[in-house]
């Protein structure tokens, strides 16, 4: 079994063990408008873009809340969400129905195997926190994104900063609350991260099937885009955490914890 197939099983197990009512009120939150599921800096970037008449896609869309928010509040003509976990996409479809969003479609597949029927289809593709880490080879990931973008199309990433992988999480043995600027892990780590304690924000902790994810440097990201004809036009870095994993203890300590990257297909 490949690590991607194993991750699919682990994600679907996590959703099956989800916390009571997790995601059930997303349709109500969507009605608030104003890009409800994005932080303020990401909202500002999206507000400066014109999505009218555009076809947008989110790769690794999870339960669809961000894509639905972008389509509703950005006025996109149509949205496509791709994710590996079928049962999580079931919640995305249910949320869309409850929110009355008819111009969104959710497709269950391995992102690296998105069919050719989607090539050249999208004006805008975005990844949010905790998406690209599930792929060992970013060049292959961005090759697929590049094929799916129209010429002149935009790719956007809002994610945890690569440097933040050097910090110990509160659950780790090496975590030292008296020295929060101490780096524990190598920035250039190549071995995968292995987890068997569930997906905390969805399910809490339990003995789970195996999750495998990967660290990437900023050069991995930028070079992976460049090798596929996708030119970075903007990179903003922030000293706050966006993953809601308890690492906000590092906020405002002068450490880059998140970023927004915008790139365009040449």
């Amino acid at each position: 079994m490949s690590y991607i197939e194993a991750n699919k099983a682990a994600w679907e197990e996590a959703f099956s063990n989800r916390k009571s009512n997790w995601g059930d009120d997303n349709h109500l939150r969507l009605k608030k408008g104003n890009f409800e599921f994005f932080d303020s800096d990401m909202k500002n970037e999206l507000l400066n873009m014109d999505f009218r008449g555009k076809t947008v896609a989110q790769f690794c869309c999870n339960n669809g809340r961000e894509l639905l928010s972008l389509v509703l509040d950005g006025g996109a003509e149509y949205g496509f969400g791709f994710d590996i976990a079928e049962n999580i996409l079931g919640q995305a479809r249910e949320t869309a129905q409850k929110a009355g969003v008819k111009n969104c479609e959710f497709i269950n597949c391995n992102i690296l195997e998105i069919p050719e029927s989607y090539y050249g289809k999208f004006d805008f593709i975005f990844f949010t926190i905790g998406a690209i880490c599930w792929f060992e080879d970013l060049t292959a990931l961005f090759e697929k994104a590049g094929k799916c973008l129209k010429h002149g199309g935009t790719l956007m990433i809002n994610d945890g900063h690569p440097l933040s992988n050097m910090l110990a999480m509160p659950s780790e043995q090496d975590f030292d609350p008296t020295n929060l600027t101490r780096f524990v892990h190598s920035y250039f780590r190549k071995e995968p991260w292995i987890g068997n304690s569930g997906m905390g924000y969805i399910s809490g902790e339990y003995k789970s099937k195996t999750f495998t994810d990967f660290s990437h440097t900023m050069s991995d990201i930028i070079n992976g885009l460049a090798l596929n004809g996708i030119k970075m036009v903007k990179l903003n870095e922030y000293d706050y955490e966006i993953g809601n994993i308890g690492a906000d203890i590092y906020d405002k300590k002068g450490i880059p914890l998140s970023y927004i990257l915008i790139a365009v297909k040449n």
Side-chain angles (χ1 to χ4, degrees):
M1 178 185 293
S2 72
Y3 78 88
I4 291 180
E5 292 171 327
N7 281 337
K8 171 181 171 65
W11 275 102
E12 292 181 342
E13 180 188 48
F15 186 77
S16 295
N17 287 279
R18 66 190 180 278
K19 299 171 185 175
S20 177
N21 300 319
W22 182 81
D24 289 347
D25 67 343
N26 283 349
H27 65 290
L28 299 175
R29 294 181 62 188
L30 284 168
K31 292 179 180 179
K32 296 179 181 180
N34 194 32
F35 296 101
E36 168 70 11
F37 292 98
F38 300 96
D39 67 41
S40 59
D41 287 303
M42 187 67 168
K43 285 179 186 178
N44 289 335
E45 294 294 343
L46 295 174
L47 285 168
N48 286 326
M49 297 179 178
D50 185 2
F51 294 103
R52 292 172 297 177
K54 303 292 179 61
T55 301
V56 302
Q58 183 178 12
F59 287 6
C60 303
C61 69
N62 199 269
N63 66 2
R65 59 198 182 276
E66 294 157 336
L67 176 67
L68 291 166
S69 178
L70 176 62
V71 169
L72 277 174
D73 301 324
E77 182 173 335
Y78 211 91
F80 290 83
F82 298 88
D83 200 274
I84 201 167
E86 175 62 38
N87 55 0
I88 299 181
L89 288 181
Q91 186 176 76
R93 298 181 185 109
E94 183 178 351
T95 298
Q97 184 178 24
K98 289 180 177 179
V101 182
K102 297 181 180 180
N103 56 337
C104 270
E105 185 176 337
F106 295 96
I107 299 95
N108 177 226
C109 71
N110 174 355
I111 300 298
L112 298 179
E113 297 176 354
I114 290 176
E116 291 185 13
S117 57
Y118 294 101
Y119 287 5
K121 189 175 185 68
F122 306 122
D123 300 284
F124 180 81
I125 293 174
F126 70 111
F127 296 88
T128 54
I129 178 70
I132 67 173
C133 65
W134 299 104
F135 301 90
E136 183 174 15
D137 182 357
L138 290 187
T139 300
L141 175 63
F142 294 142
E143 178 183 12
K144 181 62 69 170
K147 288 179 176 178
C148 290
L149 276 174
K150 296 179 181 178
H151 290 294
T154 297
L155 183 144
M156 191 172 189
I157 304 173
N158 181 207
D159 206 350
H161 197 286
L163 190 141
S164 65
N165 290 317
M166 300 176 69
L167 301 168
M169 295 297 102
S171 60
E172 292 184 82
Q173 183 177 357
D174 291 328
F175 175 72
D176 182 359
T178 66
N179 187 9
L180 291 179
T181 58
R182 172 174 172 252
F183 294 130
V184 172
H185 306 290
S186 169
Y187 181 73
F188 300 99
R189 176 188 174 114
K190 293 302 180 184
E191 63 268 28
W193 301 90
I194 304 297
N196 291 98
S197 57
M199 184 54 60
Y201 76 98
I202 294 178
S203 61
E205 291 192 8
Y206 65 97
K207 185 173 177 55
S208 72
K209 295 179 180 179
T210 300
F211 290 94
T212 302
D213 65 300
F214 304 87
S215 296
H216 302 290
T217 64
M218 190 61 77
S219 59
D220 290 334
I221 297 165
I222 295 171
N223 291 337
L225 293 168
L227 288 169
N228 288 291
I230 307 171
K231 179 183 178 180
M232 186 181 71
V233 296
K234 188 173 188 177
L235 175 64
N236 288 341
E237 299 168 293
Y238 306 99
D239 63 352
Y240 59 84
E241 190 267 330
I242 59 174
N244 298 319
I245 57 175
D248 55 353
I249 54 174
Y250 291 112
D251 285 3
K252 309 301 180 182
K253 300 290 192 304
I255 302 170
L257 298 176
S258 58
Y259 70 95
I260 295 173
L261 183 152
I262 300 175
V264 174
K265 179 179 177 179
N266 292 334

